[in-house]
Amino acid sequence: MDELILCVNKLQDQFRSFSQKPVDLPQIIVVGSQSTGKSSVLESLVRRPILPRGIGMITRCPLILRLVHCPKGDKLRKRRGESYEEWGEFDKDGKIYDIGDIKSEIERRTEELAGVSKNISYTPIVLTIFSPHVLTLTLVDLPGITKVAVEDQPADIEDQIVNLINQFIKNPKSIILAVITANTDMATHECLKMAMKVDPDGTRTIAVVTKLDIMDKGTDATEILTGKCIPVKLGIIGVVNRSQEDINNGKSIEDTLRDEDDFLQKKYPALADTNGSKYLAKKLQELLIKHIINCVPAMTQSLLKKIEACKSVLAECGTEVRDEKACLDDTLNTFCQSFIKIVKGEAVDVQSVSLTGGAKICSLFKKLDISLMSVKPCEKYCLEQVILAIRQTSSVEPPLLFSERAFDELMRPLLEHTRKPSLLCIDEVSRELKSLCRNSIPQETATRFPAVAQGVTKVVDKMIDDLTGKTKEYVLQSIYIEEQHITRSQILKIVNHSNLLSVLNKDLGLLPGNPFKSSPAFIKKAKLKDFTIQESLNPATKDVRHCIILGDMLNLYYGVIANRIQDTVAKATMAYLVNGLEKSILLELATQLGSKLKELFVEENAITKLRTTKQEELKILEKSLYELQALNMETAQ
């Protein structure tokens, strides 16, 4: 089962390059106040005095301590040679350290990370001990909790240490090893308070009680060791460490372990088998292995989610461009196909709340039709304007039946009014095509290569503007033709001769009402120019009949021409603008942009960097998943 712990160590190393850990890993976090004996507890597990000693805060950065059981004949020992019975290795070093040199190397690395003063660092030191005398185990030792800043420590040193500890123990997959002293009130231990905040049920906390041998006379730790004082679920283990006097006298850890056994057998015979440093090592290894097994399924799921998220980011970044021309051809083909499909209604977005593409263009043509047909010719003129037109176009001889010239003069302004809505319709189609252009550019291209998106937009906008001008020119010419020649044969086709004779022969009382309304404002305005005009504006019986005929003719002829103009606008827009753009867009884009490949495919540094980072992360995540799945299969057997 050592492989379980070693596998988690490997995952931890692989994840160190991530700015944020992709998966919370199971680990044992050692916490305690200063001078509670944390270092001595760890040294009893290593069986060697490898940690720096001194007054005040000695541990100033996280120490990831990995113990690897390495008996004689082990493959690790063969790989590194048989020169050392036990040795240490530091992360990213590759150098083998003699056990006696490890303490000074930890001090050197601590000063390198946290400075020579009493500051702390969040960057961990990773130390692996290979020995035949240890059980395979991994622990994270953190700076001891302090309440008061001393010497050159920063004033907020307590907050810094608390924040550092919380970063580790808030991981729900961590086991909290709280080191407390037997000769102080249990309620005063800060590490227990911190553990209870993140683990209120105590389900992932184990307590180690030190200094059992220096309790006040007449007291013992039976209630503490039997769980009556400390609410933790993973166990409470008492140990006896080396005192400062023992350290000064050079007492070995082996001797200390023997004395610890004697003390426990003598003082706590009923509890001796479940306490002591040797039992602690076995218990911690057992807890860690069991915890890893329980966490493997959740870790696997977390890795799968991270892998999918990583792949999603890479998809957004796109693949690295090695052939700019091929990339441009692919981009332009994708753009043109998307553009044409939307125009033809072959790419429907059912989630959209508005019309787009061909459907939008169709609605614009209908809008023009409604606009043109909503015009009521007889409402554009007052009665006096029509009579004046009849008078002026008749010259010295009044018309026999009705004045065709008056009809012409009244119709031309109506036809001229069709220009504005017709040109507006063409402009709206032009804007819709430009909008489709921007929406058809692949989002990946717009994000990675804004120069390509800008180039495509610029070329297409220019094409649309040119074709819009051509379309407008044709439509204006068509309207001009309609204005310049009123087709009399067309009038004869639409005028009902029997109705015409009926208007001429019936009494006025039997005729429909005059379609033109009198305008006092127009009469007043006319009188200002010619005060004698009143008599000329008074309609005679023949004038009334004439107005009724002209009104019918204006309505009928305008309806025919308005339909024709609307049809002309739709056909010209589709022929020149929409279809013309569709036929030439790909060739024009390739011609205009093909000579600017190096300028177009300049990727932003942030995207290049993100892709490289995510590619490296994906390799690590997939490798980690493979190892974790293999581990899962091994534990399931």
Side-chain angles (χ1 to χ4, degrees), residues 59-74:
T59 304
R60 295 191 287 125
C61 53
L63 173 65
I64 299 176
L65 179 59
R66 296 170 176 174
L67 308 181
V68 179
H69 182 62
C70 192
K72 289 184 178 181
D74 189 272

Side-chain angles (χ1 to χ4, degrees), residues 233-413:
K233 302 291 177 63
L234 296 184
I236 302 167
I237 301 173
V239 296
V240 178
N241 299 322
R242 293 188 300 168
S243 65
Q244 188 59 48
E245 183 180 359
D246 293 336
I247 294 171
N248 294 338
N249 293 333
K251 185 177 181 179
S252 69
I253 293 179
E254 286 83 355
D255 290 342
T256 303
L257 293 176
R258 281 193 292 270
D259 291 345
E260 179 187 50
D261 289 340
D262 293 340
F263 174 84
L264 291 173
Q265 290 293 342
K266 180 179 179 181
K267 185 71 175 179
Y268 303 100
L271 302 174
D273 292 340
T274 55
N275 286 275
S277 300
K278 293 178 182 178
Y279 178 77
L280 174 63
K282 293 178 183 178
K283 181 68 174 179
L284 290 177
Q285 186 188 53
E286 176 189 320
L287 286 174
L288 184 56
I289 290 172
K290 183 179 179 181
H291 193 54
I292 291 171
I293 292 172
N294 291 336
C295 290
V296 165
M299 290 163 62
T300 302
Q301 290 303 313
S302 295
L303 276 177
L304 287 170
K305 289 180 181 179
K306 292 293 181 181
I307 288 172
E308 287 305 312
C310 198
K311 287 180 177 179
S312 177
V313 173
L314 283 172
E316 292 178 6
C317 291
T319 56
E320 184 180 355
V321 175
R322 300 183 185 277
D323 186 340
E324 289 91 349
K325 186 179 184 307
C327 187
L328 179 63
D329 291 344
D330 182 63
T331 299
L332 295 183
N333 280 319
T334 302
F335 163 75
C336 291
Q337 289 172 11
S338 174
F339 180 85
I340 293 169
K341 282 183 178 180
I342 296 174
V343 172
K344 291 183 176 180
E346 296 174 0
V348 180
D349 181 6
V350 294
Q351 302 298 325
S352 176
V353 295
S354 60
L355 295 175
T356 57
K360 176 69 173 180
I361 294 171
C362 180
S363 73
L364 293 174
F365 292 154
K366 289 181 180 179
K367 179 182 174 183
L368 173 62
D369 184 48
I370 292 169
S371 174
L372 294 177
M373 298 309 294
S374 65
V375 174
K376 307 298 181 186
C378 293
E379 295 177 358
K380 294 295 182 179
Y381 302 105
C382 65
L383 176 62
E384 289 75 20
Q385 283 177 298
V386 177
I387 292 173
L388 194 58
I390 295 171
R391 300 278 191 270
Q392 290 176 332
T393 57
S394 299
S395 186
V396 296
E397 291 292 335
L400 184 62
L401 293 176
F402 71 92
S403 174
E404 294 176 351
R405 290 180 64 191
F407 173 79
D408 290 353
E409 295 303 319
L410 292 171
M411 178 54 66
R412 285 192 179 95

